[in-house]
Amino acid sequence: MLVDTGSCDAFGTACSHRRPRNSCVDCKVRPISVCSVLALDELAVLETLGQHLSLDKRQVLYGQEEPAEAVFNVIDGSLRLTRLLSDGRRQVMGFALPGDFLGLAREDRFSVSAEALTPVTVCRFERRAFGALVDDKPHLLRSLHERAGHELTLAQDQMLLLGRRTAEERVASFLVGLRERYARMGRASVTLELPMGRQDMADYLGLTIETVSRMLTRLDRERTVLIVPGGVRLLDPARLEALAAS
């Protein structure tokens, strides 16, 4: 379907004022995604490479060890990134939100699985075609390097979180980090949506589900947060930040 963004001739013939409804120019996550560095003519090229995919809740975008034949830009919704260990245990590696770019690693196969926690929309790019575009656009390559550097910093923070923080500090750090990610998306609010379940949080934070539930209940009892359907409301953000920075 086309969106008319300007007047055309009386016969309704196509004109340069028309563009696809889901064009890269109109993409709501473009300002926070790696493609934000591209000019309008470059976005037009990118658009020819992309394909929008929709996932239902619990549907898998790609599985661990599947051939890494594509990269994905998350447009809407959230996904859980997990790795299955050799002993059968599951480790949650992270959560993808709008604006995140998945599949950037150079391995031939995906090292994690990506499963939709909510209805999800992604833009899919065939890996070779996207790689050719990156090779031709040094500023896009720099943007990807910056994103990779940011993800490396997050991984280092996660190692510190698992190795040195108390259970309460881990939960507080998770909530503060999620609030910062939502704010970057333009969704600053005192209420944090938690699309992931308690077990997901536990597997990500290296805790048991009972411990996560107990820590959230403690924060609620101490009036730091208020547990609400689908998330938590931040009643004392300053105290939560202090716990996260401990």
Side-chain angles (χ1 to χ4, degrees), residues 11-28:
F11 299 100
T13 55
C15 71
S16 60
H17 295 103
R18 288 177 178 261
R19 62 172 181 262
R21 180 182 297 277
N22 292 321
S23 71
C24 290
V25 173
D26 296 323
C27 181
K28 64 181 181 180

Side-chain angles (χ1 to χ4, degrees), residues 94-219:
F95 303 96
L97 298 176
D100 288 339
F101 210 87
L102 304 177
L104 289 177
R106 289 289 185 177
E107 289 87 354
D108 293 332
R109 296 182 178 274
F110 291 115
S111 61
V112 299
S113 297
E115 180 183 1
L117 292 170
T118 66
V120 165
T121 301
V122 300
C123 198
R124 179 190 185 277
F125 302 96
E126 195 274 327
R127 194 181 187 94
R128 290 185 179 179
F130 186 80
L133 179 66
V134 170
D135 290 341
D136 191 48
K137 308 293 181 185
H139 48 303
L140 180 57
L141 180 60
R142 287 194 297 271
S143 181
L144 290 169
H145 282 169
E146 290 173 1
R147 181 61 60 94
H150 176 66
E151 292 181 357
L152 177 59
T153 299
L154 292 179
Q156 292 170 338
D157 290 344
Q158 179 69 2
M159 292 175 61
L160 176 63
L161 184 74
L162 296 179
R164 297 295 183 181
R165 301 289 183 86
T166 66
E168 187 177 38
E169 290 166 355
R170 294 184 197 187
V171 172
S173 295
F174 177 77
L175 296 178
V176 169
L178 190 60
R179 183 187 65 169
E180 292 173 350
R181 294 181 70 186
Y182 281 145
R184 182 171 171 268
M185 295 159 47
R187 292 169 53 185
S189 172
V190 295
T191 300
L192 290 182
E193 177 187 357
L194 296 177
M196 66 292 295
R198 299 287 191 268
Q199 187 65 63
D200 294 331
M201 292 175 60
D203 290 347
Y204 178 67
L205 296 173
L207 301 170
T208 65
I209 187 173
E210 293 81 8
T211 299
V212 168
S213 296
R214 188 168 62 251
M215 293 303 102
L216 287 172
T217 299
R218 177 189 295 179
L219 292 171

